[in-house]
Amino acid sequence: MIRKSGTSQYRPRARRSVVDVFRARVRSLSAWWRSSLTVRVVGLVMAAGILSMLMAGSIIVTQTRSQLFERAVTSVVDQFESARRNAQSQFDASTSPTAGEMQQIANSVVVSLDDSARGIVGSAMLRTPGQNDTSFQIVEPFTQSSSQIRTLISDEMRAQVPGGNAVHWQSIDLVGSDGVSQPGIMVGASLSLPGAGNYELYVAYSLESQESSIRLVVGTLTAGAMVLILLLALITWIVVGLVLRPVQEASRNAQRLADGAFDTRMVVRGDDELAHLAESYNQMAESLQEQFTRLERMSKVQQEFVSAVSHELRTPVTTIRMAGQLIYDKRDELPSSLRRSAELQHGQLINLDTTLSDLLEISRFDAGAMSLATEHTDLSALVSQTIEAQQVLAEANGVEVRLVVTGDTQAKVEPRRVERIVRNLLVNALEHADGQDVRVTVVGAESAVAIEVSDHGIGLSEEQAAHVFDRFWRADVARVRKSGGTGLGLTIAREDALLHGGKLQCAGELGVGSTFLLTLPREPGKKWSAPLPLRVAAAEPSWDVEAPGPDEPLDSDEPLDSAEPVDSAEPLDSGDTQSSPSRASGAEQGGPAIDVGIGDPGAIKRNEGEQVRDVADGRDHATTTGQSREQQ
């Protein structure tokens, strides 16, 4: 069998520069340093140890070098002084010396000083310059070349030696046979030769033995310091590990405790501080377990109580409502004193039935027994129908509703739940618009559809917006409502949004208005990007601008679908907001823009040139609006 292999174009790997490699290594070490307390402690201990060793070693080496040098100078000066006195005695012992005798004595003196065992590397006897004429002169004897010995003697020393009988010395650098420089000392003193005048005796001493001792001391200290630092690092690593092991165990147990494992406990060893930490952690875990168990039991009892009461009250309430409906239908036949009572009874029975329905719905959410019956739905049409159903409430509040649709608004949702969300948002906006317009914007993007309900009414503060989805919470309990409400509507609306894998958010500003933003993925459970940002729409300049027609572009240069992707598989926090730039509503992505108005009895307003049609559908608007949810 012949196997054919495809050919691919060779692409050499891009080589990183040395700077990039260095930066990557530095970032890796920096991350390791920040993420490990053990590394930081051991590193700091080692740094402190190295610094201490360097300081101590420097002091020891400096003191050792100083002591050795001082002792070497003292020994060399003493030896030279003894040799000078012997030489002067030999010269003084000669009576009526001749030049030959003086030459012979000088040569013997210089040769006798050439002793490598004592560290002498050279000697010379030089005539003192600037003397008057003498009886004779001798040749300057030396054991090294005259030019070499002269280069080791400084001019300052040549000027000081002839001044008396004192011994003078200076430090010099000697070059050995191997070309390596080594420290040394040049010692000099004056001699008086009878008949020949004054001469200077110089001897060069090597300090190689002392330098070797210093190198040995430095090497020993360095080796000892390295071993000590390594032992110190090892001991520190072990001690830090022993100390941090219970802390790490407590961290892991705390993570398991946060995940719901309330039976997690730490092992108590000994009676020290770490044992007290373990005991305190176990007490905390036990207390949390008891409280959680008690709260779980109370929550279960509450859920069962609400569910049982709601189910038990459903039948009698239904019966009472049927009887009340009969009385309400016959109210014209009742006396005027009873007619008003029948109307009040009818409204309160509707509210009671709505409250029971909401309580049953909340109990199902709490029990996790909710499921979706999805179908492909045009959300713009659903929103339009919901607006039409609330026409009576809009007229009662003197509010005009504008509907703006942009893009493809098809999505796979459960229409009943989405209609309930939009109805709750719309009723809240109508109730709190204070006679100003309400704008509903539906925008379809690639992965999600957004429904924005905005009003230009009393608005919400940041604190109120943070609690608007809480159960039975109202922003203004003294405010009179025209449509009833149970205080559970927005809670149920948020749960419905989360059930679809979407998000319901709120933003507001006191005295300006409030905005509710519902974002639903086209497919439940899929990742999506928000078509609209959360903003207070009434605070933007585009609020009073008429919605653009199908051929007019938006007043924005940014794409709608520009928000970060949201993974709907993860739990969504309905209190989070997305801070992306505001965009004006209008036609984009090839979708038509529809402007629907409520305020004129029995009519919907669209863009200019479109047909105006009657929307009276024969529904019982009082019943519809009476079932609205409110939480503000």
Side-chain angles (χ1 to χ4, degrees):
M1 180 179 66
I2 299 177
R3 176 178 298 174
K4 295 182 179 180
S5 59
T7 60
S8 60
Q9 184 179 2
Y10 172 72
R11 295 182 179 179
R13 293 180 58 186
R15 298 183 60 183
R16 296 192 299 173
S17 64
V18 177
V19 177
D20 294 337
V21 174
F22 177 75
R23 289 178 178 174
R25 193 64 58 88
V26 169
R27 286 194 295 268
S28 177
L29 292 177
S30 178
W32 187 36
W33 175 269
R34 291 193 303 268
S35 62
S36 176
L37 180 60
T38 303
V39 172
R40 291 199 298 273
V41 172
V42 173
L44 292 175
V45 170
M46 288 186 64
I50 292 173
L51 183 61
S52 302
M53 293 297 177
L54 288 175
M55 295 176 61
S58 299
I59 295 174
I60 292 174
V61 171
T62 301
Q63 293 295 327
T64 302
R65 185 186 295 275
S66 177
Q67 292 294 328
L68 288 176
F69 183 75
E70 290 178 1
R71 292 182 181 181
V73 169
T74 301
S75 175
V76 166
V77 170
D78 291 342
Q79 293 177 16
F80 180 81
E81 180 64 24
S82 176
R84 187 188 71 83
R85 286 196 301 264
N86 291 335
Q88 188 64 53
S89 299
Q90 294 180 23
F91 287 123
D92 293 341
S94 300
T95 58
S96 300
T98 62
E101 291 177 353
M102 288 291 102
Q103 186 70 57
Q104 185 177 3
I105 295 173
N107 291 339
S108 64
V109 169
V110 171
V111 171
S112 65
L113 293 175
D114 189 11
D115 187 1
S116 59
R118 293 184 296 172
I120 299 176
V121 296
S123 59
M125 187 178 295
L126 306 179
R127 181 177 174 81
T128 301
Q131 298 185 62
N132 297 327
D133 294 337
T134 57
S135 301
F136 55 84
Q137 295 183 9
I138 65 173
V139 179
E140 298 176 345
F142 53 86
T143 57
Q144 285 186 341
S145 65
S146 178
S147 60
Q148 184 176 1
I149 197 70
R150 287 178 182 274
T151 58
L152 297 175
I153 304 171
S154 65
D155 296 337
E156 291 81 6
M157 190 172 185
R158 286 299 305 271
Q160 293 177 4
V161 168
N165 295 327
V167 177
H168 300 272
W169 64 270
Q170 70 174 7
S171 298
I172 59 174
D173 288 331
L174 299 174
V175 179
S177 58
D178 54 357
V180 178
S181 178
Q182 59 187 15
I185 298 176
M186 178 66 71
V187 185
S190 63
L191 293 174
S192 178
L193 278 61
N198 295 326
Y199 280 77
E200 301 166 9
L201 178 63
Y202 294 96
V203 179
Y205 291 87
S206 175
L207 300 181
E208 183 180 3
S209 59
Q210 288 79 5
E211 187 68 19
S212 299
S213 300
I214 293 175
R215 286 196 296 267
L216 178 61
V217 171
V218 172
T220 303
L221 289 176
T222 302
M226 293 179 61
V227 173
L228 183 59
I229 290 174
L230 291 177
L231 289 176
L232 184 62
L234 179 61
I235 293 172
T236 304
W237 188 281
I238 295 174
V239 172
V240 172
L242 292 176
V243 173
L244 290 183
R245 187 175 296 115
V247 178
Q248 294 170 350
E249 181 183 358
S251 176
R252 291 191 296 268
N253 290 338
Q255 185 62 41
R256 289 196 290 268
L257 189 67
D259 294 337
F262 292 100
D263 57 345
T264 303
R265 297 292 185 273
M266 291 183 63
V267 179
V268 180
R269 300 182 181 89
D271 193 24
D272 53 8
E273 290 81 358
L274 298 177
H276 295 164
L277 172 64
E279 292 176 355
S280 300
Y281 177 87
N282 291 339
Q283 292 175 2
M284 178 191 68
E286 184 176 356
S287 176
L288 288 176
Q289 185 178 18
E290 293 177 356
Q291 295 180 20
F292 181 80
T293 303
R294 183 171 65 256
L295 291 175
E296 189 178 33
R297 183 169 58 251
M298 292 174 59
S299 176
K300 185 176 181 180
V301 170
Q302 179 185 9
Q303 293 175 12
E304 292 177 351
F305 173 77
V306 172
S307 179
V309 170
S310 301
H311 281 88
E312 292 297 328
L313 289 178
R314 169 58 65 183
T315 300
V317 167
T318 302
T319 304
I320 295 173
R321 184 178 177 184
M322 293 175 60
Q325 186 67 38
L326 292 176
I327 297 174
Y328 180 76
D329 292 340
K330 301 293 184 178
R331 65 185 183 279
D332 294 335
E333 302 176 4
L334 298 176
S336 59
S337 59
L338 297 179
R339 186 180 305 121
R340 179 56 180 168
S341 299
E343 293 174 351
L344 293 174
Q345 180 192 49
H346 177 71
Q348 293 304 318
L349 286 175
I350 291 176
N351 290 337
L352 179 60
D353 185 64
T354 302
T355 302
L356 286 177
S357 300
D358 288 348
L359 289 175
L360 286 173
E361 192 76 3
I362 284 293
S363 65
R364 284 192 289 267
F365 276 116
D366 292 338
M370 305 302 294
S371 60
L372 286 176
T374 60
E375 60 183 74
H376 288 284
T377 306
D378 185 357
L379 295 184
S380 63
L382 186 147
V383 171
S384 178
Q385 294 172 5
T386 306
I387 293 175
E388 294 173 4
Q390 303 303 321
Q391 179 183 353
V392 174
L393 181 61
E395 293 174 356
N397 287 276
V399 177
E400 181 181 354
V401 180
R402 292 182 295 164
L403 173 62
V404 180
V405 180
T406 303
D408 181 13
T409 59
Q410 293 283 336
K412 191 174 182 180
V413 298
E414 184 173 345
R416 179 182 66 87
R417 297 185 183 277
V418 177
E419 187 273 336
R420 180 166 59 188
I421 298 173
V422 176
R423 172 161 35 90
N424 274 282
L425 301 182
L426 183 59
V427 169
N428 276 286
L430 294 175
E431 285 284 347
H432 298 85
D434 278 356
Q436 302 293 326
D437 291 351
V438 171
R439 189 176 69 186
V440 182
T441 305
V442 184
V443 177
E446 181 180 356
S447 57
V449 179
I451 302 174
E452 181 187 75
V453 180
S454 304
D455 64 75
H456 203 331
I458 60 176
L460 288 172
S461 64
E462 292 185 4
E463 181 180 359
Q464 292 172 340
H467 296 282
V468 75
F469 296 108
D470 295 346
R471 299 181 182 184
F472 302 107
W473 185 88
R474 292 185 64 180
D476 185 4
V477 295
R479 186 177 179 86
V480 178
R481 290 183 51 91
K482 297 184 176 67
S483 59
T486 64
L488 296 172
L490 290 179
T491 302
I492 296 175
R494 184 182 62 174
E495 295 295 337
D496 284 335
L498 295 177
L499 191 62
H500 284 83
K503 181 183 288 188
L504 180 58
Q505 302 167 279
C506 174
E509 184 177 345
L510 288 176
V512 177
S514 59
T515 297
F516 285 83
L517 179 63
L518 170 66
T519 308
L520 298 174
R522 291 191 183 275
E523 293 284 341
K526 300 293 184 179
K527 292 183 178 181
W528 51 271
S529 298
L532 284 177
L534 180 63
R535 74 271 175 88
V536 182
E540 297 183 353
S542 60
W543 173 263
D544 295 327
V545 179
E546 290 294 334
D551 300 329
E552 297 180 20
L554 281 171
D555 187 14
S556 175
D557 297 331
E558 300 181 12
L560 284 172
D561 195 8
S562 62
E564 293 295 328
V566 177
D567 189 357
S568 60
E570 302 177 358
L572 296 174
D573 184 3
S574 61
D576 296 339
T577 62
Q578 299 172 356
S579 57
S580 55
S582 301
R583 303 168 178 85
S585 59
E588 193 173 74
Q589 302 177 352
I594 305 174
D595 187 5
V596 179
I598 289 183
D600 297 336
I604 280 187
K605 296 194 302 182
R606 292 181 176 266
N607 285 336
E608 294 185 3
E610 295 188 4
Q611 182 179 4
V612 179
R613 60 184 179 87
D614 185 40
V615 297
D617 55 2
R619 296 185 183 181
D620 185 357
H621 296 292
T623 303
T624 303
T625 57
Q627 294 177 347
S628 62
R629 275 65 168 169
E630 189 219 16
Q631 217 120 350
Q632 294 184 333

